[in-house]
Amino acid sequence: MKEKLVLSVLVDNESGVLQRVASLFSRRGYNISSLTVSETEDPAFSRMTIETLTEPENVRQIKQQLLKLEIVKKVAELDETNSVSSELLMVKVKAAGVEQKNALLSFNVRYAARVLDVSMTTITLLFTGTGEAIDMFINDLVKDFGIVELARTGVTSLARGEGSFTEDV
């Protein structure tokens, strides 16, 4: 049975790194369900947060294959006990007229999303939270208002506690 695997991967901050890591997954037949990449506090490195569904027996192999790439400096497996995670959603919602806008803003009190833009017929909201919270938010919006457009990031995670992922590299 497949399980969700979230890896934090410290890589050199240079061009071509994303393609090399993604192709490693594709060559091995692993699907990446979520991928976020950004520069770390040290501009020499980027952090990739990769989420995939895989059998438990493949976890060690995935980590070893990543570490064989000279651009990969460190790999850590993250789960709910050793990390904090969040996703980001930007969503444009139908809200024509004052009455519908007020209804959407009242609805939003439950979720505390940030209003980014208001037009004559839509309101654009920014919401962050766990994947499950974002799914629930989207489902409620669809049911009560209707979504015009949305963009969603993948999961981003940091290890709990003190210290930095880059400190011993």
Side-chain angles (χ1 to χ4, degrees):
M1 177 158 169
K2 291 188 175 187
E3 296 177 359
K4 180 171 76 168
L5 171 65
V6 178
L7 296 173
S8 186
V9 183
L10 189 66
V11 296
D12 290 332
N13 186 15
E14 58 186 47
S15 64
V17 170
L18 175 60
Q19 186 274 329
R20 292 186 65 199
V21 171
S23 66
L24 180 143
F25 274 78
S26 121
R27 281 192 317 270
R28 305 277 187 286
Y30 301 125
N31 184 47
I32 296 174
S33 54
S34 171
L35 173 67
T36 58
V37 185
S38 68
E39 189 175 279
T40 67
E41 67 281 1
D42 181 342
F45 301 110
S46 287
R47 176 193 315 271
M48 302 178 84
T49 305
I50 303 170
E51 181 182 83
T52 186
L53 292 176
T54 189
E55 286 79 16
E57 59 269 15
N58 293 335
V59 172
R60 192 174 59 78
Q61 180 187 19
I62 291 171
K63 289 178 176 177
Q64 287 176 336
Q65 292 298 319
L66 283 167
L67 287 167
K68 285 183 181 179
L69 298 173
E70 70 278 354
I71 54 167
V72 173
K73 304 304 176 200
K74 192 174 186 182
V75 176
E77 186 176 347
L78 302 176
D79 60 38
E80 292 175 0
T81 63
N82 69 1
S83 67
V84 290
S85 300
S86 189
E87 294 184 34
L88 178 139
L89 169 74
M90 291 177 65
V91 60
K92 191 181 299 180
V93 182
K94 293 178 186 174
V98 173
E99 189 175 303
Q100 203 172 20
K101 282 181 176 53
N102 286 339
L104 178 57
L105 294 174
S106 293
F107 160 88
N108 190 42
V109 168
R110 283 195 322 234
Y111 290 98
R114 203 169 102 211
V115 176
L116 296 179
D117 185 59
V118 178
S119 76
M120 295 298 285
T121 60
T122 63
I123 293 179
T124 302
L125 301 170
L126 175 94
F127 181 67
T128 60
T130 64
E132 295 79 19
I134 288 178
D135 290 341
M136 190 167 48
F137 183 62
I138 291 170
N139 289 335
D140 288 350
L141 282 174
V142 167
K143 182 175 56 180
D144 296 342
F145 297 96
I147 293 175
V148 175
E149 182 178 25
L150 71 79
R152 182 175 180 171
T153 67
V155 65
T156 300
S157 302
L158 290 176
R160 293 183 183 274
E162 299 173 10
S164 167
F165 197 48
T166 62
E167 70 189 359
D168 57 354
V169 176

